[in-house]
């Protein structure tokens, strides 16, 4: 009986992916929508300059996909979305992520990357606190290797000290610490990943490789 109950919950899993109209996020959304037809994927994106729904044309009409236009900084709306949809899992990619922009406008990075993350953590905490055993829940926070700072030789490990050198990196490091704190304080099930630089299709042209390619194409 327990096996059947678990299957029902997994079959109706509702997964929230934030920042799903951006470069990395759109790859994640397309992957989950196409691979897991028994999951309903909710893509939440503010659609800033780096978000583009054209990245998701191939899945936008599939029955297990929904798009929600919202800003993770809007606390009231975020908490209401969690109450309404009862998300079973979160993959949190939404972030301000350009180092040069963070130097020009650090406050915007603090608001989105720190306070926006707290809003999502509270949304998950509110709806998971009384029914954590129904399904394997997870809050997956997508961070960056830039929280480790600079390295002249060798490489970082997960045990390396956190030494951010830009407002962007510092805002992501702050979010990492909050995610860990919610795990310890509220027993929220969390996962933090810190990937290095990514490149590929759909990348916004302010990034190094597409910028160079476009400049070369335009002589």
């Amino acid at each position: 009986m327990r096996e059947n109950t678990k299957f029902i919950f997994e079959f109706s899993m509702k997964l929230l992916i934030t920042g799903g109209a951006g470069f990395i996020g759109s790859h994640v959304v397309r992957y989950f929508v196409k691979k897991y037809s028994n999951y309903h994927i909710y893509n939440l994106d503010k659609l800033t300059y780096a978000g583009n729904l054209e990245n998701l044309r191939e899945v936008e009409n599939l029955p297990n996909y929904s798009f929600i236009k919202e800003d993770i900084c809007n606390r009231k709306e975020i908490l209401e979305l969690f109450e309404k949809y009862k998300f079973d899992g979160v993959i949190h990619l939404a972030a301000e992520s350009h180092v040069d922009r963070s130097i020009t406008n650090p406050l915007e990075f603090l608001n989105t990357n720190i306070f926006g993350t707290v809003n999502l953590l509270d949304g998950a905490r509110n709806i998971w606190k009384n029914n954590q055993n129904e399904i394997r829940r997870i809050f997956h926070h997508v961070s960056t290797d830039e929280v480790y700072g600079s390295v002249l030789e060798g490489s970082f490990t997960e045990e390396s000290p956190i030494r951010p050198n830009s407002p962007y990196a510092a805002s992501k490091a702050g979010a990492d610490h909050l995610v860990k704190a919610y795990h310890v304080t509220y027993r929220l099930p969390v996962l933090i990943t810190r990937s290095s630089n990514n490149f590929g299709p759909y990348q916004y042209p302010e990034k190094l490789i597409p910028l160079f390619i476009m400049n070369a194409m335009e002589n």
Side-chain angles (χ1 to χ4, degrees):
M1 188 65 174
R2 183 173 296 177
E3 290 290 330
N4 291 338
T5 302
K6 183 179 179 182
F7 177 78
I8 290 172
F9 279 111
E10 288 182 345
F11 188 81
S12 59
M13 175 175 276
K14 291 179 281 189
L15 179 63
L16 174 67
I17 300 176
T18 70
F23 163 47
I24 299 176
S26 62
H27 283 277
V28 175
V29 168
R30 291 193 304 274
Y31 174 83
F32 273 92
V33 170
K34 291 189 288 186
K35 185 174 178 64
Y36 299 100
S37 59
N38 57 328
Y39 289 11
H40 195 106
I41 308 303
Y42 294 84
N43 171 18
L44 188 151
D45 201 293
K46 182 182 176 181
L47 293 182
T48 62
Y49 71 95
N52 188 351
L53 291 180
E54 290 292 331
N55 297 344
L56 298 158
R57 290 303 180 200
E58 63 183 282
V59 301
E60 65 179 358
N61 294 318
L62 294 181
N64 64 326
Y65 171 76
S66 298
F67 173 71
I68 303 170
K69 184 178 180 181
E70 189 53 80
D71 185 350
I72 61 173
C73 293
N74 293 336
R75 181 174 177 82
K76 178 175 180 292
E77 288 76 5
I78 292 299
L79 297 182
E80 288 177 349
L81 284 172
F82 274 86
E83 288 292 339
K84 178 179 179 180
Y85 293 107
K86 307 295 184 189
F87 302 118
D88 299 304
V90 178
I91 301 179
H92 175 35
L93 297 113
E96 297 290 343
S97 63
H98 194 253
V99 173
D100 290 347
R101 288 178 183 269
S102 78
I103 296 171
T104 303
N105 189 1
L107 185 59
E108 184 178 10
F109 282 68
L110 295 177
N111 284 333
T112 298
N113 298 349
I114 294 181
F115 293 107
T117 299
V118 169
N119 292 338
L120 294 165
L121 288 167
D122 281 335
R125 178 170 67 93
N126 290 344
I127 66 170
W128 295 352
K129 58 186 176 183
N130 295 323
N131 55 3
Q132 291 186 359
N133 294 326
E134 287 185 3
I135 194 172
R136 179 69 176 101
R137 304 183 187 280
I138 194 71
F139 187 103
H140 179 182
H141 174 62
V142 180
S143 185
T144 171
D145 66 336
E146 294 197 37
V147 300
Y148 295 120
S150 303
V151 61
L152 298 178
E153 307 183 337
S155 60
F156 298 118
T157 71
E158 291 182 357
E159 286 73 40
S160 297
I162 304 300
R163 293 174 176 169
N165 290 329
S166 69
Y168 159 59
S171 68
K172 292 296 287 186
D176 288 6
H177 287 310
L178 283 162
V179 172
K180 287 183 179 180
Y182 270 64
H183 172 65
V184 174
T185 305
Y186 305 112
R187 300 179 63 189
L188 193 74
V190 304
L191 172 68
I192 298 174
T193 54
R194 295 172 177 147
S195 60
S196 58
N197 290 342
N198 292 267
F199 64 93
Y202 304 102
Q203 189 167 20
Y204 193 74
E206 72 180 359
K207 305 299 184 180
L208 183 67
I209 294 177
L211 178 64
F212 281 13
I213 291 173
M214 292 184 66
N215 284 347
M217 293 174 65
E218 297 175 3
N219 294 316

